[in-house]
C-alpha cells in the first residue's frame, strides 16, 4: 500500500466515523462554520478546562473531506492548550497551501498529513480547512472568554 492509498484510507475512515460527530456535554463554546462553495456546515463544540481543550466534537453535515478533516482535527487537538491548537492550525493551513512540505515540520499533524495533497486540488481546499478556520476564529475572536 502506497502513501497515497494510506492517506485515502485515513480520510475514508474518519469521514465515516461517529467518534467525533457528536455533541459535547456542557460545551463552553459552540461555533458554526460554513463553506458556501459546497454546502458544508459544521458546529464545533468545545469544553475547556482553563486553557486546555478538554473535549471537542462536531455536529452538522459535509462532504467526506470536510468530515474527515474535522474528525482528525478533533483527535489532534483534544487535550492540547489553545496555543498548541492554534499552532497546529497554522501548520495545517500552510501544509494544504503548499507553503510547508518538510516532513519534520509536518510530523506534529499526524493523520492530518493525509491532506498534504490538497494543494493539487484547489477546489477542495475550503472543504479541508473549514474546521481549522472555524477553530482559529473561535480563539482569535473570542479570546476574551477567560478575562
Amino acid at each position: 500500500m502506497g502513501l497515497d492509498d494510506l492517506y485515502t484510507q485515513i480520510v475514508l475512515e474518519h469521514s465515516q466515523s461517529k467518534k467525533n460527530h457528536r455533541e459535547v456535554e456542557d460545551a463552553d463554546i459552540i461555533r458554526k462554520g460554513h463553506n458556501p462553495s459546497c454546502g458544508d456546515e459544521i458546529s464545533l463544540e468545545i469544553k475547556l478546562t482553563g486553557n486546555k481543550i478538554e473535549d471537542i466534537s462536531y455536529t452538522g453535515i459535509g462532504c467526506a473531506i470536510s468530515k474527515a478533516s474535522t474528525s482528525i482535527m478533533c483527535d489532534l487537538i483534544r487535550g492540547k492548550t489553545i496555543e498548541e491548537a492554534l499552532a497546529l492550525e497554522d501548520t495545517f493551513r500552510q501544509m494544504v497551501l503548499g507553503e510547508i512540505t518538510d516532513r519534520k515540520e509536518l510530523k506534529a499533524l499526524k493523520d492530518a498529513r493525509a491532506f498534504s495533497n490538497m494543494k493539487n486540488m484547489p477546489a477542495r481546499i475550503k472543504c479541508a480547512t473549514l474546521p481549522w478556520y472555524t477553530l482559529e476564529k473561535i480563539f482569535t475572536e473570542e479570546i476574551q472568554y477567560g478575562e
Side-chain angles (χ1 to χ4, degrees):
M1 177 182 287
L3 192 56
D4 287 341
D5 294 331
L6 176 63
Y7 284 167
T8 300
Q9 187 63 33
I10 289 169
V11 169
L12 280 172
E13 287 174 8
H14 275 277
S15 70
Q16 296 170 352
S17 174
K18 299 296 181 198
K19 175 185 170 194
N20 294 312
H21 191 238
R22 60 181 171 78
E23 293 180 358
V24 170
E25 188 174 327
D26 299 323
D28 296 302
I29 299 169
I30 299 174
R31 176 73 182 250
K32 292 184 187 288
H34 177 69
N35 176 4
S37 321
C38 68
D40 297 337
E41 291 186 10
I42 61 161
S43 287
L44 293 181
E45 300 189 14
I46 301 173
K47 177 75 176 165
L48 296 171
T49 301
N51 193 35
K52 185 177 177 182
I53 299 169
E54 181 180 321
D55 196 10
I56 180 169
S57 69
Y58 75 101
T59 57
I61 59 169
C63 66
I65 290 173
S66 175
K67 292 191 310 188
S69 183
T70 308
S71 180
I72 289 169
M73 183 192 76
C74 289
D75 283 346
L76 188 60
I77 68 168
R78 187 176 292 113
K80 301 276 194 277
T81 66
I82 292 169
E83 291 77 17
E84 291 168 330
L86 289 173
L88 289 166
E89 181 277 328
D90 186 57
T91 302
F92 182 85
R93 182 177 35 78
Q94 289 183 61
M95 177 190 70
V96 297
L97 294 174
E99 297 169 359
I100 296 178
T101 56
D102 184 280
R103 286 183 175 205
K104 289 181 183 178
E105 289 183 69
L106 299 176
K107 188 174 182 177
L109 291 177
K110 299 180 181 179
D111 281 354
R113 291 176 293 179
F115 297 96
S116 62
N117 65 349
M118 283 290 115
K119 62 186 173 289
N120 300 322
M121 297 181 277
R124 303 310 301 266
I125 288 176
K126 288 182 181 180
C127 301
T129 58
L130 174 63
W132 298 88
Y133 279 126
T134 304
L135 178 78
E136 189 261 344
K137 285 188 177 292
I138 287 170
F139 292 121
T140 57
E141 293 178 1
E142 298 179 17
I143 202 69
Q144 302 83 8
Y145 74 91
E147 296 178 356

